[in-house]
mmCIF file with all atom_site columns, all heavy atoms in Angstrom:
data_model
loop_
_atom_site.group_PDB
_atom_site.id
_atom_site.type_symbol
_atom_site.label_atom_id
_atom_site.label_alt_id
_atom_site.label_comp_id
_atom_site.label_asym_id
_atom_site.label_entity_id
_atom_site.label_seq_id
_atom_site.pdbx_PDB_ins_code
_atom_site.Cartn_x
_atom_site.Cartn_y
_atom_site.Cartn_z
_atom_site.occupancy
_atom_site.B_iso_or_equiv
_atom_site.pdbx_formal_charge
_atom_site.auth_seq_id
_atom_site.auth_comp_id
_atom_site.auth_asym_id
_atom_site.auth_atom_id
_atom_site.pdbx_PDB_model_num
ATOM 1   N N   . VAL A 1 1  ? -95.729  -104.956 -112.395 1.00 96.00 ? 1  VAL A N   1
ATOM 2   C CA  . VAL A 1 1  ? -96.696  -103.855 -111.788 1.00 96.00 ? 1  VAL A CA  1
ATOM 3   C C   . VAL A 1 1  ? -95.925  -102.430 -111.922 1.00 96.00 ? 1  VAL A C   1
ATOM 4   O O   . VAL A 1 1  ? -96.610  -101.434 -112.281 1.00 96.00 ? 1  VAL A O   1
ATOM 5   C CB  . VAL A 1 1  ? -96.946  -104.157 -110.351 1.00 96.00 ? 1  VAL A CB  1
ATOM 6   C CG1 . VAL A 1 1  ? -97.756  -102.896 -109.828 1.00 96.00 ? 1  VAL A CG1 1
ATOM 7   C CG2 . VAL A 1 1  ? -97.814  -105.390 -110.188 1.00 96.00 ? 1  VAL A CG2 1
ATOM 8   N N   . ASN A 1 2  ? -94.619  -102.466 -111.821 1.00 96.00 ? 2  ASN A N   1
ATOM 9   C CA  . ASN A 1 2  ? -93.903  -101.268 -111.762 1.00 96.00 ? 2  ASN A CA  1
ATOM 10  C C   . ASN A 1 2  ? -94.022  -100.618 -113.228 1.00 96.00 ? 2  ASN A C   1
ATOM 11  O O   . ASN A 1 2  ? -94.122  -99.311  -113.356 1.00 96.00 ? 2  ASN A O   1
ATOM 12  C CB  . ASN A 1 2  ? -92.487  -101.550 -111.441 1.00 96.00 ? 2  ASN A CB  1
ATOM 13  C CG  . ASN A 1 2  ? -91.523  -100.241 -111.369 1.00 96.00 ? 2  ASN A CG  1
ATOM 14  O OD1 . ASN A 1 2  ? -91.791  -99.460  -110.582 1.00 96.00 ? 2  ASN A OD1 1
ATOM 15  N ND2 . ASN A 1 2  ? -90.598  -100.198 -112.400 1.00 96.00 ? 2  ASN A ND2 1
ATOM 16  N N   . ASP A 1 3  ? -93.895  -101.503 -114.203 1.00 96.00 ? 3  ASP A N   1
ATOM 17  C CA  . ASP A 1 3  ? -93.868  -100.915 -115.570 1.00 96.00 ? 3  ASP A CA  1
ATOM 18  C C   . ASP A 1 3  ? -95.315  -100.293 -115.894 1.00 96.00 ? 3  ASP A C   1
ATOM 19  O O   . ASP A 1 3  ? -95.412  -99.295  -116.671 1.00 96.00 ? 3  ASP A O   1
ATOM 20  C CB  . ASP A 1 3  ? -93.788  -102.053 -116.682 1.00 96.00 ? 3  ASP A CB  1
ATOM 21  C CG  . ASP A 1 3  ? -92.438  -102.731 -116.621 1.00 96.00 ? 3  ASP A CG  1
ATOM 22  O OD1 . ASP A 1 3  ? -91.478  -101.875 -116.056 1.00 96.00 ? 3  ASP A OD1 1
ATOM 23  O OD2 . ASP A 1 3  ? -92.114  -103.778 -116.987 1.00 96.00 ? 3  ASP A OD2 1
ATOM 24  N N   . ILE A 1 4  ? -96.351  -100.689 -115.305 1.00 96.00 ? 4  ILE A N   1
ATOM 25  C CA  . ILE A 1 4  ? -97.772  -100.229 -115.417 1.00 96.00 ? 4  ILE A CA  1
ATOM 26  C C   . ILE A 1 4  ? -97.936  -98.866  -114.628 1.00 96.00 ? 4  ILE A C   1
ATOM 27  O O   . ILE A 1 4  ? -98.445  -97.951  -115.161 1.00 96.00 ? 4  ILE A O   1
ATOM 28  C CB  . ILE A 1 4  ? -98.773  -101.145 -115.246 1.00 96.00 ? 4  ILE A CB  1
ATOM 29  C CG1 . ILE A 1 4  ? -98.664  -102.417 -116.100 1.00 96.00 ? 4  ILE A CG1 1
ATOM 30  C CG2 . ILE A 1 4  ? -100.310 -100.632 -115.171 1.00 96.00 ? 4  ILE A CG2 1
ATOM 31  C CD1 . ILE A 1 4  ? -99.534  -103.537 -115.904 1.00 96.00 ? 4  ILE A CD1 1
ATOM 32  N N   . VAL A 1 5  ? -97.561  -98.844  -113.440 1.00 96.00 ? 5  VAL A N   1
ATOM 33  C CA  . VAL A 1 5  ? -97.830  -97.808  -112.458 1.00 96.00 ? 5  VAL A CA  1
ATOM 34  C C   . VAL A 1 5  ? -96.878  -96.578  -112.533 1.00 96.00 ? 5  VAL A C   1
ATOM 35  O O   . VAL A 1 5  ? -97.168  -95.569  -112.155 1.00 96.00 ? 5  VAL A O   1
ATOM 36  C CB  . VAL A 1 5  ? -97.906  -98.247  -111.071 1.00 96.00 ? 5  VAL A CB  1
ATOM 37  C CG1 . VAL A 1 5  ? -98.932  -99.404  -110.893 1.00 96.00 ? 5  VAL A CG1 1
ATOM 38  C CG2 . VAL A 1 5  ? -96.582  -98.664  -110.506 1.00 96.00 ? 5  VAL A CG2 1
ATOM 39  N N   . THR A 1 6  ? -95.618  -96.794  -113.158 1.00 95.00 ? 6  THR A N   1
ATOM 40  C CA  . THR A 1 6  ? -94.686  -95.788  -113.204 1.00 95.00 ? 6  THR A CA  1
ATOM 41  C C   . THR A 1 6  ? -95.187  -94.454  -113.788 1.00 95.00 ? 6  THR A C   1
ATOM 42  O O   . THR A 1 6  ? -94.868  -93.335  -113.241 1.00 95.00 ? 6  THR A O   1
ATOM 43  C CB  . THR A 1 6  ? -93.383  -96.272  -113.946 1.00 95.00 ? 6  THR A CB  1
ATOM 44  O OG1 . THR A 1 6  ? -92.844  -97.314  -113.170 1.00 95.00 ? 6  THR A OG1 1
ATOM 45  C CG2 . THR A 1 6  ? -92.437  -95.173  -114.040 1.00 95.00 ? 6  THR A CG2 1
ATOM 46  N N   . PRO A 1 7  ? -96.001  -94.414  -114.899 1.00 95.00 ? 7  PRO A N   1
ATOM 47  C CA  . PRO A 1 7  ? -96.414  -93.189  -115.548 1.00 95.00 ? 7  PRO A CA  1
ATOM 48  C C   . PRO A 1 7  ? -97.418  -92.641  -114.798 1.00 95.00 ? 7  PRO A C   1
ATOM 49  O O   . PRO A 1 7  ? -97.720  -91.235  -114.959 1.00 95.00 ? 7  PRO A O   1
ATOM 50  C CB  . PRO A 1 7  ? -97.012  -93.731  -116.900 1.00 95.00 ? 7  PRO A CB  1
ATOM 51  C CG  . PRO A 1 7  ? -96.523  -95.089  -117.090 1.00 95.00 ? 7  PRO A CG  1
ATOM 52  C CD  . PRO A 1 7  ? -96.315  -95.666  -115.704 1.00 95.00 ? 7  PRO A CD  1
ATOM 53  N N   . TYR A 1 8  ? -98.029  -93.171  -113.727 1.00 96.00 ? 8  TYR A N   1
ATOM 54  C CA  . TYR A 1 8  ? -99.133  -92.415  -112.875 1.00 96.00 ? 8  TYR A CA  1
ATOM 55  C C   . TYR A 1 8  ? -98.441  -91.392  -112.024 1.00 96.00 ? 8  TYR A C   1
ATOM 56  O O   . TYR A 1 8  ? -97.458  -91.616  -111.412 1.00 96.00 ? 8  TYR A O   1
ATOM 57  C CB  . TYR A 1 8  ? -99.898  -93.483  -112.123 1.00 96.00 ? 8  TYR A CB  1
ATOM 58  C CG  . TYR A 1 8  ? -100.882 -94.226  -112.925 1.00 96.00 ? 8  TYR A CG  1
ATOM 59  C CD1 . TYR A 1 8  ? -100.585 -95.376  -113.619 1.00 96.00 ? 8  TYR A CD1 1
ATOM 60  C CD2 . TYR A 1 8  ? -102.208 -93.889  -113.200 1.00 96.00 ? 8  TYR A CD2 1
ATOM 61  C CE1 . TYR A 1 8  ? -101.506 -96.156  -114.469 1.00 96.00 ? 8  TYR A CE1 1
ATOM 62  C CE2 . TYR A 1 8  ? -103.129 -94.474  -113.870 1.00 96.00 ? 8  TYR A CE2 1
ATOM 63  C CZ  . TYR A 1 8  ? -102.779 -95.618  -114.537 1.00 96.00 ? 8  TYR A CZ  1
ATOM 64  O OH  . TYR A 1 8  ? -103.627 -96.274  -115.308 1.00 96.00 ? 8  TYR A OH  1
ATOM 65  N N   . ASP A 1 9  ? -99.330  -90.378  -111.825 1.00 95.00 ? 9  ASP A N   1
ATOM 66  C CA  . ASP A 1 9  ? -99.002  -89.352  -110.924 1.00 95.00 ? 9  ASP A CA  1
ATOM 67  C C   . ASP A 1 9  ? -99.161  -89.610  -109.461 1.00 95.00 ? 9  ASP A C   1
ATOM 68  O O   . ASP A 1 9  ? -100.215 -89.078  -108.925 1.00 95.00 ? 9  ASP A O   1
ATOM 69  C CB  . ASP A 1 9  ? -99.665  -87.998  -111.357 1.00 95.00 ? 9  ASP A CB  1
ATOM 70  C CG  . ASP A 1 9  ? -99.181  -86.780  -110.701 1.00 95.00 ? 9  ASP A CG  1
ATOM 71  O OD1 . ASP A 1 9  ? -97.863  -86.829  -110.216 1.00 95.00 ? 9  ASP A OD1 1
ATOM 72  O OD2 . ASP A 1 9  ? -99.974  -85.749  -110.564 1.00 95.00 ? 9  ASP A OD2 1
ATOM 73  N N   . LEU A 1 10 ? -98.443  -90.541  -108.957 1.00 96.00 ? 10 LEU A N   1
ATOM 74  C CA  . LEU A 1 10 ? -98.483  -90.970  -107.509 1.00 96.00 ? 10 LEU A CA  1
ATOM 75  C C   . LEU A 1 10 ? -97.300  -90.881  -106.788 1.00 96.00 ? 10 LEU A C   1
ATOM 76  O O   . LEU A 1 10 ? -96.205  -90.836  -107.391 1.00 96.00 ? 10 LEU A O   1
ATOM 77  C CB  . LEU A 1 10 ? -98.919  -92.479  -107.539 1.00 96.00 ? 10 LEU A CB  1
ATOM 78  C CG  . LEU A 1 10 ? -100.330 -92.908  -108.008 1.00 96.00 ? 10 LEU A CG  1
ATOM 79  C CD1 . LEU A 1 10 ? -100.478 -94.291  -108.176 1.00 96.00 ? 10 LEU A CD1 1
ATOM 80  C CD2 . LEU A 1 10 ? -101.391 -92.403  -107.020 1.00 96.00 ? 10 LEU A CD2 1
ATOM 81  N N   . PRO A 1 11 ? -97.347  -90.659  -105.488 1.00 96.00 ? 11 PRO A N   1
ATOM 82  C CA  . PRO A 1 11 ? -96.134  -90.710  -104.617 1.00 96.00 ? 11 PRO A CA  1
ATOM 83  C C   . PRO A 1 11 ? -95.443  -92.062  -104.650 1.00 96.00 ? 11 PRO A C   1
ATOM 84  O O   . PRO A 1 11 ? -96.204  -93.183  -104.820 1.00 96.00 ? 11 PRO A O   1
ATOM 85  C CB  . PRO A 1 11 ? -96.577  -90.253  -103.355 1.00 96.00 ? 11 PRO A CB  1
ATOM 86  C CG  . PRO A 1 11 ? -98.088  -90.740  -103.285 1.00 96.00 ? 11 PRO A CG  1
ATOM 87  C CD  . PRO A 1 11 ? -98.619  -90.455  -104.619 1.00 96.00 ? 11 PRO A CD  1
ATOM 88  N N   . TYR A 1 12 ? -94.246  -92.088  -104.350 1.00 96.00 ? 12 TYR A N   1
ATOM 89  C CA  . TYR A 1 12 ? -93.507  -93.383  -104.492 1.00 96.00 ? 12 TYR A CA  1
ATOM 90  C C   . TYR A 1 12 ? -93.978  -94.290  -103.346 1.00 96.00 ? 12 TYR A C   1
ATOM 91  O O   . TYR A 1 12 ? -93.962  -95.644  -103.547 1.00 96.00 ? 12 TYR A O   1
ATOM 92  C CB  . TYR A 1 12 ? -91.917  -93.274  -104.331 1.00 96.00 ? 12 TYR A CB  1
ATOM 93  C CG  . TYR A 1 12 ? -91.536  -92.952  -102.992 1.00 96.00 ? 12 TYR A CG  1
ATOM 94  C CD1 . TYR A 1 12 ? -91.075  -93.719  -102.044 1.00 96.00 ? 12 TYR A CD1 1
ATOM 95  C CD2 . TYR A 1 12 ? -91.395  -91.434  -102.648 1.00 96.00 ? 12 TYR A CD2 1
ATOM 96  C CE1 . TYR A 1 12 ? -90.773  -93.466  -100.724 1.00 96.00 ? 12 TYR A CE1 1
ATOM 97  C CE2 . TYR A 1 12 ? -91.000  -91.018  -101.381 1.00 96.00 ? 12 TYR A CE2 1
ATOM 98  C CZ  . TYR A 1 12 ? -90.744  -92.069  -100.318 1.00 96.00 ? 12 TYR A CZ  1
ATOM 99  O OH  . TYR A 1 12 ? -90.183  -91.742  -99.133  1.00 96.00 ? 12 TYR A OH  1
ATOM 100 N N   . GLN A 1 13 ? -94.485  -93.894  -102.268 1.00 96.00 ? 13 GLN A N   1
ATOM 101 C CA  . GLN A 1 13 ? -95.012  -94.671  -101.204 1.00 96.00 ? 13 GLN A CA  1
ATOM 102 C C   . GLN A 1 13 ? -96.222  -95.579  -101.717 1.00 96.00 ? 13 GLN A C   1
ATOM 103 O O   . GLN A 1 13 ? -96.418  -96.648  -101.264 1.00 96.00 ? 13 GLN A O   1
ATOM 104 C CB  . GLN A 1 13 ? -95.332  -93.867  -100.027 1.00 96.00 ? 13 GLN A CB  1
ATOM 105 C CG  . GLN A 1 13 ? -94.209  -93.163  -99.297  1.00 96.00 ? 13 GLN A CG  1
ATOM 106 C CD  . GLN A 1 13 ? -94.118  -91.653  -99.764  1.00 96.00 ? 13 GLN A CD  1
ATOM 107 O OE1 . GLN A 1 13 ? -94.509  -91.362  -100.949 1.00 96.00 ? 13 GLN A OE1 1
ATOM 108 N NE2 . GLN A 1 13 ? -93.716  -90.775  -99.136  1.00 96.00 ? 13 GLN A NE2 1
ATOM 109 N N   . ALA A 1 14 ? -97.030  -94.895  -102.616 1.00 97.00 ? 14 ALA A N   1
ATOM 110 C CA  . ALA A 1 14 ? -98.252  -95.596  -103.040 1.00 97.00 ? 14 ALA A CA  1
ATOM 111 C C   . ALA A 1 14 ? -97.870  -96.584  -104.207 1.00 97.00 ? 14 ALA A C   1
ATOM 112 O O   . ALA A 1 14 ? -98.396  -97.677  -104.323 1.00 97.00 ? 14 ALA A O   1
ATOM 113 C CB  . ALA A 1 14 ? -99.295  -94.540  -103.549 1.00 97.00 ? 14 ALA A CB  1
ATOM 114 N N   . LYS A 1 15 ? -96.912  -96.268  -104.937 1.00 97.00 ? 15 LYS A N   1
ATOM 115 C CA  . LYS A 1 15 ? -96.456  -97.181  -106.095 1.00 97.00 ? 15 LYS A CA  1
ATOM 116 C C   . LYS A 1 15 ? -95.731  -98.391  -105.464 1.00 97.00 ? 15 LYS A C   1
ATOM 117 O O   . LYS A 1 15 ? -95.981  -99.485  -105.963 1.00 97.00 ? 15 LYS A O   1
ATOM 118 C CB  . LYS A 1 15 ? -95.367  -96.347  -107.052 1.00 97.00 ? 15 LYS A CB  1
ATOM 119 C CG  . LYS A 1 15 ? -96.068  -95.227  -107.830 1.00 97.00 ? 15 LYS A CG  1
ATOM 120 C CD  . LYS A 1 15 ? -95.046  -94.581  -108.748 1.00 97.00 ? 15 LYS A CD  1
ATOM 121 C CE  . LYS A 1 15 ? -95.767  -93.508  -109.676 1.00 97.00 ? 15 LYS A CE  1
ATOM 122 N NZ  . LYS A 1 15 ? -94.750  -92.812  -110.542 1.00 97.00 ? 15 LYS A NZ  1
ATOM 123 N N   . ASP A 1 16 ? -94.942  -98.054  -104.419 1.00 96.00 ? 16 ASP A N   1
ATOM 124 C CA  . ASP A 1 16 ? -94.336  -99.259  -103.834 1.00 96.00 ? 16 ASP A CA  1
ATOM 125 C C   . ASP A 1 16 ? -95.294  -100.235 -103.231 1.00 96.00 ? 16 ASP A C   1
ATOM 126 O O   . ASP A 1 16 ? -95.241  -101.448 -103.162 1.00 96.00 ? 16 ASP A O   1
ATOM 127 C CB  . ASP A 1 16 ? -93.270  -98.857  -102.670 1.00 96.00 ? 16 ASP A CB  1
ATOM 128 C CG  . ASP A 1 16 ? -92.012  -98.193  -103.446 1.00 96.00 ? 16 ASP A CG  1
ATOM 129 O OD1 . ASP A 1 16 ? -91.861  -98.376  -104.552 1.00 96.00 ? 16 ASP A OD1 1
ATOM 130 O OD2 . ASP A 1 16 ? -91.201  -97.628  -102.630 1.00 96.00 ? 16 ASP A OD2 1
ATOM 131 N N   . ALA A 1 17 ? -96.359  -99.650  -102.636 1.00 96.00 ? 17 ALA A N   1
ATOM 132 C CA  . ALA A 1 17 ? -97.465  -100.417 -102.077 1.00 96.00 ? 17 ALA A CA  1
ATOM 133 C C   . ALA A 1 17 ? -98.129  -101.245 -103.137 1.00 96.00 ? 17 ALA A C   1
ATOM 134 O O   . ALA A 1 17 ? -98.490  -102.491 -102.964 1.00 96.00 ? 17 ALA A O   1
ATOM 135 C CB  . ALA A 1 17 ? -98.411  -99.609  -101.217 1.00 96.00 ? 17 ALA A CB  1
ATOM 136 N N   . LEU A 1 18 ? -98.375  -100.760 -104.307 1.00 96.00 ? 18 LEU A N   1
ATOM 137 C CA  . LEU A 1 18 ? -99.150  -101.376 -105.414 1.00 96.00 ? 18 LEU A CA  1
ATOM 138 C C   . LEU A 1 18 ? -98.179  -102.487 -105.961 1.00 96.00 ? 18 LEU A C   1
ATOM 139 O O   . LEU A 1 18 ? -98.675  -103.563 -106.220 1.00 96.00 ? 18 LEU A O   1
ATOM 140 C CB  . LEU A 1 18 ? -99.321  -100.371 -106.558 1.00 96.00 ? 18 LEU A CB  1
ATOM 141 C CG  . LEU A 1 18 ? -100.541 -99.450  -106.300 1.00 96.00 ? 18 LEU A CG  1
ATOM 142 C CD1 . LEU A 1 18 ? -100.521 -98.444  -107.420 1.00 96.00 ? 18 LEU A CD1 1
ATOM 143 C CD2 . LEU A 1 18 ? -101.848 -100.185 -106.409 1.00 96.00 ? 18 LEU A CD2 1
ATOM 144 N N   . LYS A 1 19 ? -96.829  -102.362 -106.015 1.00 95.00 ? 19 LYS A N   1
ATOM 145 C CA  . LYS A 1 19 ? -95.992  -103.340 -106.379 1.00 95.00 ? 19 LYS A CA  1
ATOM 146 C C   . LYS A 1 19 ? -95.949  -104.508 -105.641 1.00 95.00 ? 19 LYS A C   1
ATOM 147 O O   . LYS A 1 19 ? -95.872  -105.656 -105.996 1.00 95.00 ? 19 LYS A O   1
ATOM 148 C CB  . LYS A 1 19 ? -94.606  -102.706 -106.604 1.00 95.00 ? 19 LYS A CB  1
ATOM 149 C CG  . LYS A 1 19 ? -94.352  -101.773 -107.756 1.00 95.00 ? 19 LYS A CG  1
ATOM 150 C CD  . LYS A 1 19 ? -93.017  -101.470 -108.067 1.00 95.00 ? 19 LYS A CD  1
ATOM 151 C CE  . LYS A 1 19 ? -92.517  -100.366 -107.046 1.00 95.00 ? 19 LYS A CE  1
ATOM 152 N NZ  . LYS A 1 19 ? -91.207  -99.877  -107.344 1.00 95.00 ? 19 LYS A NZ  1
ATOM 153 N N   . SER A 1 20 ? -96.336  -104.326 -104.375 1.00 94.00 ? 20 SER A N   1
ATOM 154 C CA  . SER A 1 20 ? -96.300  -105.482 -103.394 1.00 94.00 ? 20 SER A CA  1
ATOM 155 C C   . SER A 1 20 ? -97.597  -106.032 -103.316 1.00 94.00 ? 20 SER A C   1
ATOM 156 O O   . SER A 1 20 ? -97.698  -107.301 -103.142 1.00 94.00 ? 20 SER A O   1
ATOM 157 C CB  . SER A 1 20 ? -95.959  -104.999 -102.021 1.00 94.00 ? 20 SER A CB  1
ATOM 158 O OG  . SER A 1 20 ? -96.084  -105.896 -101.059 1.00 94.00 ? 20 SER A OG  1
ATOM 159 N N   . TYR A 1 21 ? -98.796  -105.228 -103.460 1.00 94.00 ? 21 TYR A N   1
ATOM 160 C CA  . TYR A 1 21 ? -100.213 -105.746 -103.215 1.00 94.00 ? 21 TYR A CA  1
ATOM 161 C C   . TYR A 1 21 ? -100.714 -106.487 -104.550 1.00 94.00 ? 21 TYR A C   1
ATOM 162 O O   . TYR A 1 21 ? -101.361 -107.445 -104.255 1.00 94.00 ? 21 TYR A O   1
ATOM 163 C CB  . TYR A 1 21 ? -101.024 -104.499 -102.871 1.00 94.00 ? 21 TYR A CB  1
ATOM 164 C CG  . TYR A 1 21 ? -102.340 -104.803 -102.772 1.00 94.00 ? 21 TYR A CG  1
ATOM 165 C CD1 . TYR A 1 21 ? -102.914 -105.800 -101.833 1.00 94.00 ? 21 TYR A CD1 1
ATOM 166 C CD2 . TYR A 1 21 ? -103.457 -104.151 -103.480 1.00 94.00 ? 21 TYR A CD2 1
ATOM 167 C CE1 . TYR A 1 21 ? -104.232 -106.144 -101.516 1.00 94.00 ? 21 TYR A CE1 1
ATOM 168 C CE2 . TYR A 1 21 ? -104.738 -104.444 -103.346 1.00 94.00 ? 21 TYR A CE2 1
ATOM 169 C CZ  . TYR A 1 21 ? -105.229 -105.282 -102.513 1.00 94.00 ? 21 TYR A CZ  1
ATOM 170 O OH  . TYR A 1 21 ? -106.453 -105.568 -102.165 1.00 94.00 ? 21 TYR A OH  1
ATOM 171 N N   . VAL A 1 22 ? -100.508 -105.926 -105.683 1.00 94.00 ? 22 VAL A N   1
ATOM 172 C CA  . VAL A 1 22 ? -101.090 -106.450 -106.919 1.00 94.00 ? 22 VAL A CA  1
ATOM 173 C C   . VAL A 1 22 ? -100.825 -107.849 -107.223 1.00 94.00 ? 22 VAL A C   1
ATOM 174 O O   . VAL A 1 22 ? -101.710 -108.682 -107.474 1.00 94.00 ? 22 VAL A O   1
ATOM 175 C CB  . VAL A 1 22 ? -100.848 -105.528 -108.092 1.00 94.00 ? 22 VAL A CB  1
ATOM 176 C CG1 . VAL A 1 22 ? -101.353 -106.148 -109.412 1.00 94.00 ? 22 VAL A CG1 1
ATOM 177 C CG2 . VAL A 1 22 ? -101.420 -104.133 -107.930 1.00 94.00 ? 22 VAL A CG2 1
ATOM 178 N N   . PRO A 1 23 ? -99.596  -108.272 -107.087 1.00 93.00 ? 23 PRO A N   1
ATOM 179 C CA  . PRO A 1 23 ? -99.206  -109.647 -107.209 1.00 93.00 ? 23 PRO A CA  1
ATOM 180 C C   . PRO A 1 23 ? -99.905  -110.723 -106.390 1.00 93.00 ? 23 PRO A C   1
ATOM 181 O O   . PRO A 1 23 ? -100.150 -111.827 -106.729 1.00 93.00 ? 23 PRO A O   1
ATOM 182 C CB  . PRO A 1 23 ? -97.785  -109.756 -107.182 1.00 93.00 ? 23 PRO A CB  1
ATOM 183 C CG  . PRO A 1 23 ? -97.123  -108.264 -107.404 1.00 93.00 ? 23 PRO A CG  1
ATOM 184 C CD  . PRO A 1 23 ? -98.236  -107.486 -106.816 1.00 93.00 ? 23 PRO A CD  1
ATOM 185 N N   . LYS A 1 24 ? -100.361 -110.123 -105.216 1.00 91.00 ? 24 LYS A N   1
ATOM 186 C CA  . LYS A 1 24 ? -101.119 -111.005 -104.303 1.00 91.00 ? 24 LYS A CA  1
ATOM 187 C C   . LYS A 1 24 ? -102.621 -111.197 -104.545 1.00 91.00 ? 24 LYS A C   1
ATOM 188 O O   . LYS A 1 24 ? -103.156 -112.174 -104.048 1.00 91.00 ? 24 LYS A O   1
ATOM 189 C CB  . LYS A 1 24 ? -100.989 -110.589 -102.856 1.00 91.00 ? 24 LYS A CB  1
ATOM 190 C CG  . LYS A 1 24 ? -99.485  -110.426 -102.431 1.00 91.00 ? 24 LYS A CG  1
ATOM 191 C CD  . LYS A 1 24 ? -99.406  -109.773 -101.047 1.00 91.00 ? 24 LYS A CD  1
ATOM 192 C CE  . LYS A 1 24 ? -98.033  -109.577 -100.586 1.00 91.00 ? 24 LYS A CE  1
ATOM 193 N NZ  . LYS A 1 24 ? -97.969  -108.852 -99.211  1.00 91.00 ? 24 LYS A NZ  1
ATOM 194 N N   . LEU A 1 25 ? -103.107 -110.422 -105.400 1.00 91.00 ? 25 LEU A N   1
ATOM 195 C CA  . LEU A 1 25 ? -104.552 -110.332 -105.518 1.00 91.00 ? 25 LEU A CA  1
ATOM 196 C C   . LEU A 1 25 ? -105.190 -111.625 -106.104 1.00 91.00 ? 25 LEU A C   1
ATOM 197 O O   . LEU A 1 25 ? -106.138 -112.091 -105.505 1.00 91.00 ? 25 LEU A O   1
ATOM 198 C CB  . LEU A 1 25 ? -104.943 -109.188 -106.477 1.00 91.00 ? 25 LEU A CB  1
ATOM 199 C CG  . LEU A 1 25 ? -104.939 -107.690 -105.888 1.00 91.00 ? 25 LEU A CG  1
ATOM 200 C CD1 . LEU A 1 25 ? -105.162 -106.648 -107.021 1.00 91.00 ? 25 LEU A CD1 1
ATOM 201 C CD2 . LEU A 1 25 ? -106.024 -107.610 -104.820 1.00 91.00 ? 25 LEU A CD2 1
#
């Protein structure tokens, strides 16, 4: 997930949440 979301213009708090959330989907 980190490899995919890193280029996005998002705050680190949102990227960290995505890294935890997406694998659970």
Side-chain angles (χ1 to χ4, degrees):
V1 176
N2 183 64
D3 292 340
I4 295 172
V5 304
T6 295
Y8 280 87
D9 190 22
L10 286 170
Y12 72 88
Q13 298 95 330
K15 292 181 179 179
D16 286 350
L18 283 169
K19 287 187 284 186
S20 174
Y21 178 58
V22 173
K24 300 176 184 176
L25 282 170

